[in-house]
Amino acid sequence: MSKLSSPSDFTNINVNYTNGSGYYTTHGDISKMLQIAPFTTGTTPSIAEVGLLIKKSEERVDDIVGHSYRPVIHSNEFYGFEAFNHGAYPVHRFKDYVGFVQLERPRVQKIVRLEVWQGDKYVDLASATAKVKMPPTPQSGNWTITLGVGTYTFVLDKGIDFFDNFGPKTTASQVADAINEVFPHKTAKFTGETAAKSITANGNNAVHISDFFYATTDSEGGDTVIISSLLLGEDGSACTISSTLGSVTGFTDNQDQRRMGDYWTIDIDGKIFFLKNYPYLRSHSVRVTYVTGETRVPATVHDAATKLVAAEIIRHDDNSILIADTGSNIDLKTKHDILLEEANAILDGKKDVIHFIA
């Protein structure tokens, strides 16, 4: 049984790494643990540098524990369709599903895409999606793609956020990477880009396009970008999209997720059960993109992340400018070792455990 919450949970979550705040800890908690003055733009490390250390420590926590306490997107996982399989819930011949897939990762927050192969194309059964088809040749003049959600508007500008010099499929990949705010690994060698794009809403640097949308190129036609809403359920059907060039298909509701609908899920286990709409019975006929993550950050995870960052700061404080080593009590090396040992002990106790029943 999963725990809904605890009075000890870390709830001061206002993620802005530049301002020293992450999912698992904050710069204020770290300075308090080290018993030093608060970090600022003028300290060494600065508040932004502490934010980077927080981001790294969160990844380390996830790697050690085996799952994440923050939302993480897992994309394009392929599965065979296990129809008539009696080896999972329920273990008898009468079932309220046709077949199921077991995702690699449990603790699902949202199914972003549930694409099933139905003979000649993939049909998406999840969320709400829109499409933008790229023009076949480079375009002169301005070109903007605009996405809207609630009161937020995100604008992608040609020549700044994406380039269209090298053909429609390269352009589509550029647009998808800009929406996801990831480094354009496939196209950077052509465009000369050296960093991921950062696209914010209405000048609000705390609201990013990748918080609301996920994009890929169409696997069956690489000149088209498919954009999925990350809002819960089919709420994304109210999102808007426009483009000054190319052709656009607006956001459409794909989802009928309910016990008597197309499919239903057991999110905590990572299981998807198909009932009314399902793929062909063959290998690799299901392609899934989904968000995982715990719904709470336990106090122990907050404590471990804080100690990891504190230990890292001590390790790099070679000149003892920030943290004085007075020669009394505990020296800096011992402090570092204690913090690291305690953090690792906490995380060892949070690791996923798999039970094999003979």
Side-chain angles (χ1 to χ4, degrees):
M1 183 180 295
S2 58
K3 185 184 293 185
L4 176 63
S5 66
S6 165
S8 302
D9 285 348
F10 174 64
T11 57
N12 185 25
I13 301 174
N14 182 19
V15 180
N16 187 324
Y17 294 109
T18 302
N19 292 336
S21 295
Y23 284 97
Y24 301 170
T25 189
T26 69
H27 69 91
D29 295 322
I30 296 162
S31 62
K32 289 175 184 175
M33 177 169 286
L34 291 171
Q35 297 181 329
I36 59 176
F39 298 102
T40 67
T41 56
T43 57
T44 302
S46 68
I47 194 169
E49 290 169 336
V50 173
L52 289 176
L53 292 176
I54 290 173
K55 184 188 290 188
K56 292 177 182 178
S57 76
E58 290 173 345
E59 188 73 15
R60 183 174 179 180
V61 168
D62 295 351
D63 288 345
I64 293 175
V65 173
H67 64 270
S68 183
Y69 297 86
R70 51 186 179 161
V72 176
I73 294 179
H74 306 277
S75 63
N76 292 332
E77 291 184 358
F78 282 86
Y79 299 92
F81 186 49
E82 303 177 55
F84 315 115
N85 189 328
H86 295 270
Y89 168 86
V91 189
H92 56 68
R93 67 178 62 186
F94 304 108
K95 301 183 292 188
D96 52 354
Y97 60 89
V98 174
F100 75 95
V101 294
Q102 173 65 61
L103 299 177
E104 270 189 43
R105 297 166 181 83
R107 303 174 180 89
V108 176
Q109 292 188 6
K110 175 182 171 64
I111 304 293
V112 179
R113 290 197 190 151
L114 180 56
E115 299 169 286
V116 297
W117 183 253
Q118 296 187 338
D120 59 350
K121 63 180 179 180
Y122 281 103
V123 176
D124 193 355
L125 306 181
S127 192
T129 54
K131 296 181 180 181
V132 183
K133 184 177 177 64
M134 304 294 108
T137 58
Q139 302 295 301
S140 60
N142 297 329
W143 176 10
T144 59
I145 300 172
T146 304
L147 292 166
V149 51
T151 60
Y152 299 129
T153 300
F154 304 93
V155 180
L156 286 74
D157 289 292
K158 188 192 81 169
I160 299 175
D161 302 310
F162 66 95
F163 300 90
D164 73 338
N165 309 62
F166 305 102
K169 294 185 178 181
T170 304
T171 304
S173 181
Q174 282 267 296
V175 172
D177 288 340
I179 291 172
N180 296 332
E181 296 183 299
V182 298
F183 184 77
H185 287 281
K186 294 181 180 179
T187 59
K189 60 185 176 182
F190 311 126
T191 62
E193 293 163 286
T194 58
K197 298 297 185 290
S198 178
I199 301 172
T200 56
N202 312 340
N204 186 341
N205 292 331
V207 181
H208 286 257
I209 190 171
S210 61
D211 295 334
F212 293 92
F213 299 102
Y214 166 79
T216 61
T217 57
D218 187 349
S219 63
E220 309 306 301
D223 61 348
T224 299
V225 179
I226 303 176
I227 305 166
S228 296
S229 166
L230 296 179
L231 296 177
L232 297 182
E234 62 277 16
D235 285 355
S237 58
C239 295
T240 60
I241 183 171
S242 64
S243 177
T244 56
L245 295 172
S247 59
V248 173
T249 303
F251 281 92
T252 304
D253 174 15
N254 304 320
Q255 188 160 303
D256 182 21
Q257 180 184 345
R258 52 195 177 93
R259 191 64 177 246
M260 298 302 293
D262 286 342
Y263 69 96
W264 55 280
T265 64
I266 300 180
D267 292 336
I268 190 67
D269 294 335
K271 283 187 169 66
I272 302 175
F273 300 92
F274 294 93
L275 181 58
K276 291 184 178 179
N277 206 345
Y278 44 87
Y280 275 30
L281 307 182
R282 60 180 61 177
S283 299
H284 312 115
S285 58
V286 183
R287 184 169 63 191
V288 191
T289 295
Y290 56 105
V291 180
T292 64
E294 294 278 9
T295 56
R296 49 185 289 265
V297 178
T300 49
V301 171
H302 167 60
D303 190 33
T306 305
K307 288 177 176 177
L308 286 175
V309 179
E312 192 72 6
I313 290 172
I314 290 175
R315 188 169 74 90
H316 288 287
D317 188 45
D318 294 332
N319 297 319
S320 299
I321 295 173
L322 181 66
I323 308 167
D325 191 348
T326 62
S328 60
N329 299 324
I330 304 175
D331 63 85
L332 291 182
K333 182 184 182 306
T334 304
K335 287 179 185 178
H336 168 272
D337 294 344
I338 291 173
L339 288 169
L340 204 57
E341 181 181 353
E342 290 180 350
N344 287 328
I346 292 170
L347 297 176
D348 284 342
K350 305 295 288 186
K351 287 181 178 178
D352 283 336
V353 177
I354 300 175
H355 298 278
F356 293 95
I357 302 175

